[in-house]
């Protein structure tokens, strides 16, 4: 395969590659991929300056105007950063209340189990949102709980969890909040001046539209200082990574240099788009256009509009016996779109992501492709089975 050396800002899909309608890795800008064409020495001053820029910009994106927060990048995928956060900020004798309503909440609970640290779970099933009052009640009932873990956008259903009301319930009781903002940060607000938390994590390949290779923790410096000695893991010790970076400007172990270079370009594009507000607006438009089009074809969303995130949307598979997800997937791929299977346990579903280098024009083509795919399979109506509607009726208003 010939390597594309054009300096035109063409997204890969214009070169015949499919759009990734997946919540990371996602479709990145050509210039972001192009930024990886240079090798950097990890110890060199130029690369250390890049790391510093990256951290400064991410802390600013979190809305810290008082210098109370710091950013600590961690090598690995997002789950490595989640594990690093849980292992570093929760003292060994602490106890975590994990709020789960999908795969990522459950993964955090499993991480706690691996860490061998005390935890308890509120499991709301596939997609019901954990609410502030039930979190408050759980904390009142168990004074040993020191920390609460919440996923801002639970990517397995696409639900937007009510982090603000949960934060209020947590701090009203003197406990601390840890946030998995993996698939939200950069597009949805998690401003430290409005929502209180100790630490949050996200990664390079979600709403900031970089390529995979590292995650990052944004935490109160107070919490970072207090984290010394908590971690079970040398490589995942957020305090140690932070302390070493402060001292030397370097990552402790080999950094993903090309990924960092790409990320800085992605950050430049993010700022040019108008930051969190601009990016969130484009994703919202992507979702609105895509959901309206899919509904016009007869598809129904798992979630009511109130809980729909502009990140990824779950649709029920049609009841029509001619509908076959593997065929639907292949028909979408043949038209240039990679979609995502669903993760619901009760009814069949699939997901379409709204994030990455794509806009409403692309989303209109996604809807046309879905219509053609249905026609190809001989599906007359995309209406879901009654069981799906009954399932959805359980969702609180
Ligand atoms: C993507 C994601 C993660 C991390 O997943 P990795 O595959 O390890 O990058 C964690 N939580 C949420 C909510 C996510 O969307």
């Amino acid at each position: 395969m010939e390597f594309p050396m054009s300096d035109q800002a063409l997204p890969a899909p214009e070169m015949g590659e499919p759009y990734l309608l997946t919540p990371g890795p996602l479709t990145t800008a050509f210039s972001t991929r192009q930024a990886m064409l240079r090798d950097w020495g990890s110890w060199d001053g130029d690369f250390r300056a890049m790391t510093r820029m990256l951290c400064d910009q991410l802390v600013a994106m979190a809305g810290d105007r008082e210098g109370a927060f710091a950013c600590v990048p961690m090598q690995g995928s997002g789950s490595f950063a989640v594990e690093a956060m849980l292992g570093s900020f929760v003292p060994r004798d602490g106890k975590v209340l994990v709020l789960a309503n999908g795969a990522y909440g459950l993964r955090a609970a499993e991480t706690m189990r691996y860490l061998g640290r005390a935890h308890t779970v509120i499991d709301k099933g596939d997609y019901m949102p954990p609410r502030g009052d039930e979190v408050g009640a759980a904390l009142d009932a168990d004074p040993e709980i020191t920390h609460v873990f919440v996923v801002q956008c639970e990517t397995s259903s696409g639900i937007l969890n009510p982090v603000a009301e949960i934060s209020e319930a947590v701090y009203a009781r003197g406990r601390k909040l840890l946030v998995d903002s993996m698939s939200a940060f950069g597009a949805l607000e998690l401003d430290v001046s409005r929502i209180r938390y100790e630490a949050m994590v996200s990664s390079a390949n979600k709403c900031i539209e970089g390529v995979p290779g590292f995650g990052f923790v944004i935490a109160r410096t107070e919490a970072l200082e207090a984290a010394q000695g908590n971690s079970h893991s040398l490589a995942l010790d957020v305090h140690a990574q932070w302390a070493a970076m402060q001292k030397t400007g370097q990552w402790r172990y080999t950094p993903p240099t090309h990924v960092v270079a790409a990320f800085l370009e992605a950050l430049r594009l993010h700022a040019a788009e108008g930051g969190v507000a601009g990016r969130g607006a484009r994703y919202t438009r992507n979702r609105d256009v895509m959901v309206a089009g899919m509904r016009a074809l007869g598809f129904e969303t798992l979630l009511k509009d109130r809980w729909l995130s502009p990140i990824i949307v779950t649709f029920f598979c049609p009841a029509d016996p001619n509908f076959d997800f593997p065929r639907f997937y292949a028909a979408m791929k043949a038209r240039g779109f990679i979609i995502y299977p669903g993760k619901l346990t009760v009814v069949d579903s699939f997901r379409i992501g709204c994030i990455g280098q794509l806009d409403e024009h692309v989303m209109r083509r996604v809807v046309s492709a879905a219509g053609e795919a249905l026609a190809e399979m001989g599906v007359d109506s995309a209406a879901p089975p009654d069981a799906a509607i009954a399932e959805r009726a359980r969702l609180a208003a």
Side-chain angles (χ1 to χ4, degrees), residues 23 77-79 82 104 107 151 153-155 180 182-183 203 206:
S77 85
S79 300
V82 172
Y104 293 103
R107 187 179 298 173
V151 180
C153 173
E154 178 45 84
T155 324
D180 173 350
M182 205 69 66
S183 61
S203 71
K206 303 246 169 155

Side-chain angles (χ1 to χ4, degrees), residues 22-28 58 61 152-153 155 181-189 202-211 216 263 266-267 269-271 273 275-276 278-280 282-283 309-312 354-357:
T22 54
L26 38 63
T27 295
T28 56
L58 288 174
M61 202 180 288
Q152 187 176 10
C153 173
T155 324
S181 181
M182 205 69 66
S183 61
F185 190 71
L188 298 173
E189 194 176 275
S202 186
S203 71
N205 60 286
K206 303 246 169 155
C207 297
I208 299 172
E209 301 185 352
V211 302
F216 50 88
F263 192 73
L267 280 173
L269 297 174
H270 184 271
E273 193 175 350
V276 175
R279 177 111 341 149
R282 174 164 59 86
Y283 289 172
S309 68
I311 307 300
I312 187 166
C354 308
I355 66 179
Q357 279 289 298

Side-chain angles (χ1 to χ4, degrees), residues 86 90 96 98 107-119:
L86 289 169
V90 180
V96 180
V98 176
R107 187 179 298 173
E110 195 180 12
T111 304
M112 291 306 296
R113 194 171 62 73
Y114 267 72
L115 297 183
R117 294 195 203 173
H119 62 286

